[in-house]
Amino acid sequence: MKYYMPTIVLEEDDIVLKSEELFKSLGKKALIVSGKTSAKKCGALDDLTTVFDKIGIEYLIFDKVIENPPIFQNVEGAIFGEGCDFVIGIGGGSPMDTAKGIAVLLKHGAESYMDKLFGSKDYDALPVIAIPTTSGTGSEVTPYSVFTDDELKTKRSMARRVFPLYALLDIKYFMTMPIKVRNSTIVDAFTHAVESFINTKSTPYSELFSLKAIEIFAKYKEELFKEEIDKAIFREFMRASTYAGVAISQTGTSLPHTLGYPLTYHYSVPHGIANAIFMAEYFKVSPKLRVAKLLEILNFEKVEDFGSFMDKIVGTYVDDLDISEEEIRKYTELLLQNKKKLKNHPLDVTREDVLKLYRESLGR
Ligand code: NAP
Ligand code: FE
């Protein structure tokens, strides 16, 4: 059994403003990686540039990362950021993941980028600092990066493992999320925790984190139906997201993530919702004892009750989807090819199981 978590997590109000020494120790020039608007809107970019200006660290801002980032954004970012000593990702999973890919290419050059990001030879990366602003991916403490692959027409994980050196968590950055992003990301964190718990690689160490994250979701799940969530409760969701990230950093995710990727690719279903759509049916193909434990923590008597709760969250998204039987068959084959993910699931799943997972979850 192995437990390895090298990321230093600093959680505190105004932590970015208080991290002068930390930034100075990493070099003289930083590449800041973000999406178009949220890093400014939530205040993180301002905090960061205020400190950098104060301590004389030069910086470049690559603020072009789009949701579900395509692979080429790593190349763009690396060319733009040439000469930087370290990389800071501010945002949800999309900019944090891209910061990791860019950090590999900045260190080793952007030529032959597919090999450097996805090939078998290992390449290390420049130091990465992650500043999350969504309560979902846990990317601030995972070694993973997920990119959209337009050739495979789905999403795939980068082969390189890049743990951020530091994760800087400040609750104020989370408070500007629109409700749809908030709920999708809270649910993403929940699915991470569940998929880590129902996993061949689950260990007593990873379960400390996965079960704690699930407990927090169980306690506050009705908050998802409110317009606003109180800051103190939001802090719990923020932690749940990081705990779930620690859990999947040990185990990886499992079937719902792989089932959901094509829905995001072809139909722009938000990532967390795409996983959540499959949760109840996934419980039905999972080991009974594990599922019983989850239902107990979540306070549902039967899988069907849990399913009804999840339906309230994913309902309108599913209603809007019109996915043909032919597409379902295509997505099923895609999942069956993903041997690594299948290995994470403790029971055998057949082609019929996967078809049923798609059909039932999509209400067909
Ligand atoms: P995201 O794609 O990074 O961002 C979604 C949207 O939320 C964007 O429009 C973004 O705006 C906005 N936003 C982010 N923070 C905000 C804030 N505080 N206030 C207002 N708006 C905000 O969302 P995500 O769900 O966190 O990340 C999803 C990606 O992470 C997917 O590609 C997924 O596959 C990946 N993922 C990675 C891991 C991992 O371990 N690395 C795990 C799970 C998922 P801007 O565009 O302006 O920033
Ligand atoms: Fe996820």
Side-chain angles (χ1 to χ4, degrees):
M1 189 169 16
K2 179 175 162 189
Y3 175 77
Y4 178 67
M5 171 35 65
T7 304
I8 299 165
V9 179
L10 300 174
E11 187 215 306
E12 203 172 314
D13 290 345
D14 296 326
I15 184 63
V16 169
L17 295 170
K18 293 171 184 165
S19 294
E20 293 180 13
E21 294 309 314
L22 178 164
F23 294 128
K24 276 197 235 166
S25 73
L26 295 176
K28 291 187 166 42
K29 189 169 177 185
L31 175 66
I32 301 172
V33 177
S34 75
K36 259 204 183 69
T37 54
S38 71
K40 296 181 196 82
K41 191 169 152 200
C42 75
L45 185 64
D46 254 4
D47 282 355
L48 200 55
T49 53
T50 302
V51 186
F52 283 175
D53 289 339
K54 184 173 167 206
I55 60 182
I57 287 187
E58 273 184 75
Y59 53 87
L60 294 173
I61 303 174
F62 181 70
D63 59 0
K64 292 189 169 45
V65 179
I66 58 171
E67 287 181 50
N68 307 300
I71 296 168
F72 75 82
Q73 290 216 299
N74 294 292
V75 182
E76 270 185 352
I79 293 170
F80 177 80
E82 218 182 293
C84 288
D85 302 313
F86 60 104
V87 185
I88 305 188
I90 306 177
S94 300
M96 288 192 287
D97 287 3
T98 308
K100 297 175 190 175
I102 291 175
V104 172
L105 298 183
L106 269 181
K107 178 138 189 196
H108 297 282
E111 65 287 351
S112 312
Y113 63 89
M114 283 306 277
D115 182 49
K116 285 170 187 155
L117 302 176
F118 296 98
S120 55
K121 187 167 168 252
D122 220 358
Y123 289 91
D124 61 353
L126 289 186
V128 173
I129 298 182
I131 304 177
T133 66
T134 68
S135 44
T137 67
S139 180
E140 68 276 11
V141 289
T142 75
Y144 313 124
S145 306
V146 188
F147 299 118
T148 296
D149 187 327
D150 285 314
E151 263 180 39
L152 293 179
K153 298 208 179 318
T154 187
K155 300 178 72 180
R156 67 188 287 204
S157 295
M158 180 167 81
R160 300 291 75 75
R161 297 286 189 243
V162 180
F163 275 104
L165 186 57
Y166 291 97
L168 304 182
L169 274 76
D170 187 339
I171 185 62
K172 74 180 175 199
Y173 302 148
F174 295 72
M175 304 307 290
T176 50
M177 265 187 283
I179 187 164
K180 277 190 168 172
V181 175
R182 181 196 81 187
N183 283 0
S184 168
T185 58
I186 286 175
V187 168
D188 186 25
F190 169 63
T191 59
H192 291 160
V194 169
E195 291 174 48
S196 176
F197 181 66
I198 304 175
N199 199 302
T200 47
K201 299 201 192 101
S202 182
T203 71
Y205 293 88
S206 67
E207 285 170 22
L208 283 176
F209 291 93
S210 57
L211 289 176
K212 186 67 197 172
I214 293 162
E215 273 171 32
I216 293 172
F217 182 82
K219 186 166 173 191
Y220 297 115
K221 57 187 184 302
E222 296 300 330
E223 299 286 326
L224 292 177
F225 306 110
K226 294 185 182 162
E227 273 301 310
E228 271 184 39
I229 299 182
D230 177 78
K231 202 171 181 177
I233 295 176
F234 219 131
R235 202 187 292 279
E236 293 295 310
F237 279 125
M238 174 187 81
R239 288 182 184 148
S241 160
T242 302
Y243 297 158
V246 174
I248 57 167
S249 76
Q250 309 302 306
T251 60
T253 54
S254 181
L255 300 181
H257 266 69
T258 318
L259 289 159
Y261 285 155
L263 303 193
T264 301
Y265 184 85
H266 293 284
Y267 294 92
S268 302
V269 177
H271 170 67
I273 299 292
N275 310 329
I277 286 174
F278 299 100
M279 269 291 135
E281 289 301 314
Y282 164 62
F283 274 22
K284 294 183 190 164
V285 296
S286 295
K288 289 199 166 41
L289 280 177
R290 292 259 135 175
V291 172
K293 171 106 181 156
L294 291 175
L295 290 176
E296 185 194 330
I297 301 173
L298 291 163
N299 204 16
F300 292 114
E301 217 168 281
K302 300 194 294 277
V303 174
E304 287 69 25
D305 302 333
F306 169 65
S308 305
F309 174 81
M310 294 309 279
D311 281 349
K312 283 198 280 174
I313 298 172
V314 304
T316 57
Y317 290 96
V318 176
D319 297 343
D320 291 347
L321 289 173
D322 185 17
I323 297 180
S324 68
E325 177 65 18
E326 192 192 338
E327 285 171 284
I328 289 182
R329 290 188 176 275
K330 227 165 54 196
Y331 303 166
T332 299
E333 294 313 312
L334 213 57
L335 184 139
L336 292 171
Q337 282 161 24
N338 196 336
K339 303 281 179 233
K340 236 174 104 191
K341 278 279 157 51
L342 284 173
K343 249 168 74 185
N344 283 357
H345 188 63
L347 300 177
D348 286 338
V349 286
T350 63
R351 178 168 283 109
E352 270 317 305
D353 290 331
V354 181
L355 286 167
K356 185 158 179 269
L357 269 157
Y358 272 117
R359 287 178 189 141
E360 296 286 329
S361 305
L362 296 171
R364 309 180 84 261

